[in-house]
Amino acid sequence: MIEIKNLHAEIDGNEILKGLDLTIGDGEVHAIMGPNGAGKSTLSYVLAGRDGYEVTDGSAELDGVDILEMEPDERAAAGLFLAFQYPVEIPGVQMTTFLKTALNAVRKARDEEELDAIGLLKLMKSKCKELGISDDMMKRAVNVGFSGGEKKRNEVLQMAMLEPKFAVLDETDSGLDIDALRIVADGVNALRAQNRSFLVITHYQRLLDYIKPDKVHVLADGEIVKSGGPDLALELEKKGYAEFTKEAA
Amino acid sequence: MSAVTKFKPRYRADTAEIGLIDWDKLPPMSAEWVNALRTRAQLSVIETGMPTAKLERWKYTNLNAKLKKMSLRYHEAELDLSGMTDYAYSFSKGMLHCPEWVREMLEAEAPSNNKYGDMMLWQAANAYLKDGFIVDVPADKKTTSALEVTQTGRDGHYIVPRQIIRVGENAEMTIIEYQSGSRSYWANIVSQIKIEKNATLRHYRFQENSDESVITHNTHIEMEEGANYEAFTITTGAGLSRNQIHADLKGENIICRLNGVNMLDGSEIADTTITVEHQEPNCESYQDYRSVATDKAVGTFQGKIHVHQIAQKTDGYQMAKSLLLSSQATMNTKPELEIYADDVKCSHGATAGRLDEDALFYLRARGIPEKQARNLLIQAFVNEVIEGVTDKNVREQANLIVSKWLDQSDANSSAEWLE
């Protein structure tokens, strides 16, 4: 269960989040939609703990523990996962090395037994198969030379391996064609579980055709200005964000 | 000696004694020509002294300041040859029965001596010609295992080992050198390498010298048509190291690779200075270096590609990337292209920067603690060069050295950047 209360955050002294409240129950999928500059990506970075984003007020609790004081890697170990809008290319670090290092770091922090090379390979192969990722991709450097679709599938693969309690998907649909979108969405849907919550951040309703949300929120000017069921996404698709940006202004 | 006169104002004859420690006490050799060569070299050192920062190619590295502080006595070098030793032998004491080709190489002028006038260390090495080893691989012989040479420096020693290497036509050879030692010593090494027609030499160097040591190493490679040279050097230390490489590409279709990794901490100084002479058409040369510097370490890379007018269709590549992990670490990079042919492909690049913050955050967001994430990125950075090494064992050893360095070095501490 995620509880974000009165979250204020700024970058270089500019306040971007202005008192955001959001509660996501176990196993629920919530979507956040909103116009450019509303603070959608800021929210995802603040939750993941990126440098340069300063939290000035409020809290974000994951199963009752405030994660905002934690280092980024501690948040990951606590069960937070951010699927990046723009996954970073890391030349020279092979996918298998990366996955093994990440998984074992998280397992160690969670007091679980670390996996040996064979155990990891087995797990990786089965997850890759589920997501339609070729073994060849695992031999390459992290995200280097990956197509847009491959990068996003890779994010889902990492999510599948790290088994988070709470996953934030930051504009996962950006840069994807319909086929790639469906594969990625299927991957996410396969990970839906009773003890796992999702926050899907998106501009467009399109992604929500594939990943059905329980609730939809509109984020404008750093606050949640409207919440509703899946129908709200359809309504936004028709009307646009004009009324919210006007309100905010 | 006309060139010497021309550059004379830059010389500091008063530094000569640094390069002539115990020279008077050297026992004469039974081969007269060696004694004559030594004396000629000694006179040259007396005239020109040691290289000073006034010389263009020495402007970043102050050798004399370092050497002056050391208290050294000349000693025979401690060299151990193992592995594929069939074609290797140590210099015989008297050199009376020295093969003619070896004598020719020993008596040859230092490369580019006239042009730059900064080959004093070569002369200084000639003045002590006594020990070292010779490798002579006969034509068509393709060796499967490597010759391993271990050089150990001892406290207070000045050593001057010579290396003479010839790889005959169509032959293939791998040489791995390990340098290490304790406390304060100076090794002034000259390697002369001849790679004949269509022959291949893979040449790897592990330089793990002590923090107080000075290593000056001149390597001269002469390559004939179709020859292939692959050099990889990893340096984690020496208080001061100067790896100077001069490659003469004297035939067509030569491939010459000069690659390396420097991992520097403390107040180490590591200088790599390279000249590649493209003297014939259709050759390829590559220089690919990665340097990681932390604390107050200073790295220098000077790489020159000289394409002669006749050397059309030359493919010259040079890349020097550096990672500065502390605010007081320094990296000097000076690429030089001198091209007289009009149909060539030459590229060079140099970067200096910190670790990629985006990549660091991405790794940490996947649960990898900061120190481990930083190490992973540093490893990846140097791996760009290490993975290009043909020999698998050398790749693995190089990776181990990098891991060891990362464990020991304070490079991992990000504290300095937090302010």
Side-chain angles (χ1 to χ4, degrees):
Chain A
M1 163 129 141
I2 317 307
E3 267 191 297
I4 300 170
K5 282 183 197 154
N6 191 33
L7 185 60
H8 289 256
E10 54 184 51
I11 311 169
D12 295 334
N14 298 320
E15 192 168 51
I16 309 289
L17 298 182
K18 301 171 181 173
L20 186 141
D21 294 289
L22 182 64
T23 302
I24 306 173
D26 284 346
E28 289 180 4
V29 175
H30 288 211
I32 282 194
M33 302 181 73
N36 286 325
K40 301 195 298 295
S41 282
T42 297
L43 174 61
S44 68
Y45 285 141
V46 165
L47 290 175
R50 189 177 191 125
D51 276 351
Y53 293 79
E54 201 190 338
V55 175
T56 49
D57 201 4
S59 64
E61 290 183 358
L62 178 54
D63 289 345
V65 182
D66 193 349
I67 59 168
L68 294 180
E69 287 299 312
M70 294 180 183
E71 294 294 323
D73 45 287
E74 292 170 337
R75 299 181 196 204
L80 174 79
F81 183 91
L82 169 63
F84 282 60
Q85 183 180 3
Y86 303 108
V88 182
E89 297 188 6
I90 310 180
V93 178
Q94 208 193 25
M95 275 302 302
T96 43
T97 311
F98 165 61
L99 288 175
K100 187 178 176 196
T101 312
L103 187 60
N104 278 339
V106 163
R107 290 180 78 103
K108 195 175 160 189
R110 290 175 188 166
D111 283 327
E112 293 167 5
E113 207 179 321
E114 293 182 40
L115 283 184
D116 60 12
I118 297 166
L120 177 100
L121 218 62
K122 264 190 186 164
L123 181 67
M124 208 175 65
K125 279 202 163 162
S126 74
K127 299 287 184 196
C128 280
K129 211 173 159 192
E130 285 170 26
L131 289 163
I133 291 173
S134 68
D135 289 356
D136 177 57
M137 226 166 100
M138 291 300 105
K139 290 179 190 138
R140 283 147 63 184
V142 178
N143 290 322
V144 175
F146 287 24
S147 69
E150 283 174 332
K151 280 181 181 168
K152 295 297 166 77
R153 255 185 286 169
N154 191 15
E155 294 295 290
V156 181
L157 170 69
Q158 292 164 43
M159 193 195 303
M161 304 263 305
L162 295 175
E163 300 181 317
K165 287 186 209 159
F166 175 42
V168 180
L169 276 57
D170 188 7
E171 310 226 4
T172 292
D173 48 340
S174 71
L176 293 188
D177 60 32
I178 290 290
D179 294 330
L181 186 66
R182 185 172 294 139
I183 294 169
V184 168
D186 286 350
V188 172
N189 287 329
L191 291 171
R192 289 179 79 152
Q194 282 223 312
N195 56 357
R196 187 169 294 143
S197 324
F198 287 87
L199 180 62
V200 181
I201 296 173
T202 181
H203 265 297
Y204 306 105
Q205 189 268 335
R206 190 179 71 160
L207 178 65
L208 304 180
D209 286 341
Y210 298 97
I211 304 174
K212 300 266 186 234
D214 299 301
K215 271 189 183 157
V216 174
H217 310 274
V218 179
L219 178 66
D221 197 29
E223 285 177 275
I224 302 286
V225 289
K226 192 172 184 179
S227 298
D231 294 346
L232 179 57
L234 294 167
E235 193 187 317
L236 288 167
E237 190 80 358
K238 267 186 219 142
K239 291 188 187 163
Y241 298 113
E243 62 172 301
F244 303 111
T245 44
K246 241 180 266 165
E247 265 179 30
Chain B
M1 296 303 258
S2 61
V4 170
T5 320
K6 191 175 156 198
F7 286 101
K8 204 162 185 176
R10 294 183 189 173
Y11 291 157
R12 289 273 310 278
D14 58 334
T15 58
E17 62 189 54
I18 297 172
L20 293 170
I21 303 159
D22 289 341
W23 188 81
D24 313 345
K25 294 177 195 151
L26 266 185
M29 303 288 264
S30 47
E32 247 340 291
W33 66 269
V34 176
N35 295 327
L37 177 63
R38 282 182 182 174
T39 307
R40 282 202 303 279
Q42 182 236 6
L43 289 173
S44 165
V45 174
I46 288 174
E47 186 172 6
T48 63
M50 291 281 97
T52 69
K54 285 187 179 165
L55 295 162
E56 175 63 22
R57 289 205 303 174
W58 282 90
K59 67 177 178 185
Y60 299 117
T61 302
N62 192 339
L63 176 66
N64 297 314
K66 200 95 183 171
L67 288 175
K68 269 180 191 162
K69 287 186 205 143
M70 297 165 80
S71 167
L72 301 166
R73 294 264 81 104
Y74 173 80
H75 284 267
E76 205 165 300
E78 235 174 274
L79 291 176
D80 179 56
L81 307 183
S82 62
M84 180 68 211
T85 54
D86 289 9
Y87 309 105
Y89 41 100
S90 297
F91 275 13
S92 59
K93 290 271 181 224
M95 277 198 231
L96 261 183
H97 308 291
C98 171
E100 194 54 31
W101 69 272
V102 173
R103 179 175 169 174
E104 269 173 33
M105 282 177 82
L106 289 169
E107 289 188 316
E109 275 288 324
S112 292
N113 195 23
N114 299 334
K115 206 165 200 169
Y116 307 104
D118 66 352
M119 297 302 282
M120 296 86 161
L121 289 164
W122 186 295
Q123 296 297 347
N126 274 355
Y128 289 81
L129 190 57
K130 184 168 185 291
D131 54 55
F133 65 90
I134 296 167
V135 179
D136 188 13
V137 189
D140 300 316
K141 184 71 207 176
K142 295 186 190 333
T143 59
T144 45
S145 60
L147 166 68
E148 293 176 19
V149 183
T150 309
Q151 175 193 303
T152 315
R154 303 280 174 211
D155 191 23
H157 286 204
Y158 170 44
I159 56 173
V160 191
R162 184 66 152 239
Q163 308 179 352
I164 300 284
I165 297 160
R166 180 171 74 170
V167 188
E169 277 190 30
N170 299 311
E172 233 180 279
M173 182 71 187
T174 302
I175 298 175
I176 308 175
E177 292 178 45
Y178 300 94
Q179 294 177 1
S180 63
S182 56
R183 308 277 321 258
S184 164
Y185 55 93
W186 174 24
N188 183 23
I189 312 163
V190 168
S191 304
Q192 289 172 273
I193 300 166
K194 206 168 215 154
I195 309 171
E196 297 186 344
K197 226 172 140 182
N198 299 322
T200 296
L201 176 62
R202 285 177 288 272
H203 195 178
Y204 308 118
R205 283 177 179 153
F206 293 90
Q207 296 186 319
E208 296 180 274
N209 289 289
S210 77
D211 293 347
E212 296 171 51
S213 65
V214 171
I215 306 296
T216 49
H217 198 154
N218 265 295
T219 302
H220 181 209
I221 308 125
E222 286 179 278
M223 302 176 74
E224 292 179 4
E225 185 187 334
N228 200 324
Y229 182 61
E230 178 191 323
F232 169 76
T233 301
I234 180 163
T235 303
T236 57
L240 184 153
S241 61
R242 165 88 167 191
N243 285 302
Q244 187 164 325
I245 303 171
H246 183 108
D248 280 318
L249 280 48
K250 293 179 155 176
E252 293 196 39
N253 302 312
I254 288 168
I255 301 175
C256 178
R257 292 175 197 277
L258 308 170
N259 300 338
V261 166
N262 295 306
M263 315 280 302
L264 312 173
D265 58 11
S267 52
E268 287 171 353
I269 299 168
D271 175 328
T272 303
T273 296
I274 296 176
T275 308
V276 177
E277 297 279 350
H278 280 267
Q279 297 168 15
E280 293 292 337
N282 299 311
C283 292
E284 299 167 31
S285 73
Y286 304 88
Q287 300 168 40
D288 206 359
Y289 275 77
R290 296 291 176 278
S291 298
V292 179
T294 186
D295 303 332
K296 292 176 179 171
V298 181
T300 293
F301 177 86
Q302 308 182 95
K304 178 171 179 171
I305 307 174
H306 182 190
V307 182
H308 295 234
Q309 196 167 5
I310 189 178
Q312 301 294 354
K313 307 281 180 195
T314 286
D315 192 347
Y317 174 86
Q318 183 191 99
M319 181 59 77
K321 291 189 190 172
S322 25
L323 204 50
L324 296 169
L325 300 176
S326 85
S327 55
Q328 292 187 73
T330 305
M331 190 68 208
N332 307 302
T333 310
K334 192 177 78 181
E336 270 183 281
L337 300 181
E338 199 176 326
I339 302 171
Y340 297 99
D342 50 19
D343 185 14
V344 301
K345 198 173 95 188
C346 273
S347 61
H348 70 88
T351 66
R354 293 161 51 171
L355 281 177
D356 179 352
E357 292 295 329
D358 288 340
L360 200 57
F361 175 63
Y362 189 74
L363 294 175
R364 296 186 70 195
R366 294 300 174 256
I368 303 174
E370 183 174 9
K371 180 177 163 167
Q372 211 180 345
R374 293 175 75 87
N375 285 356
L376 205 56
L377 292 177
I378 297 168
Q379 247 156 349
F381 176 75
V382 295
N383 217 4
E384 289 177 19
V385 166
I386 294 174
E387 70 184 3
V389 171
T390 307
D391 190 293
K392 186 169 172 267
N393 290 329
V394 170
R395 280 202 304 272
E396 282 169 6
Q397 286 177 57
N399 280 321
L400 277 178
I401 288 176
V402 171
S403 310
K404 204 170 84 186
W405 186 87
L406 288 170
D407 286 343
Q408 284 169 3
S409 158
D410 293 330
N412 321 310
S413 129
S414 64
E416 216 175 319
W417 295 112
L418 290 178
E419 56 208 61

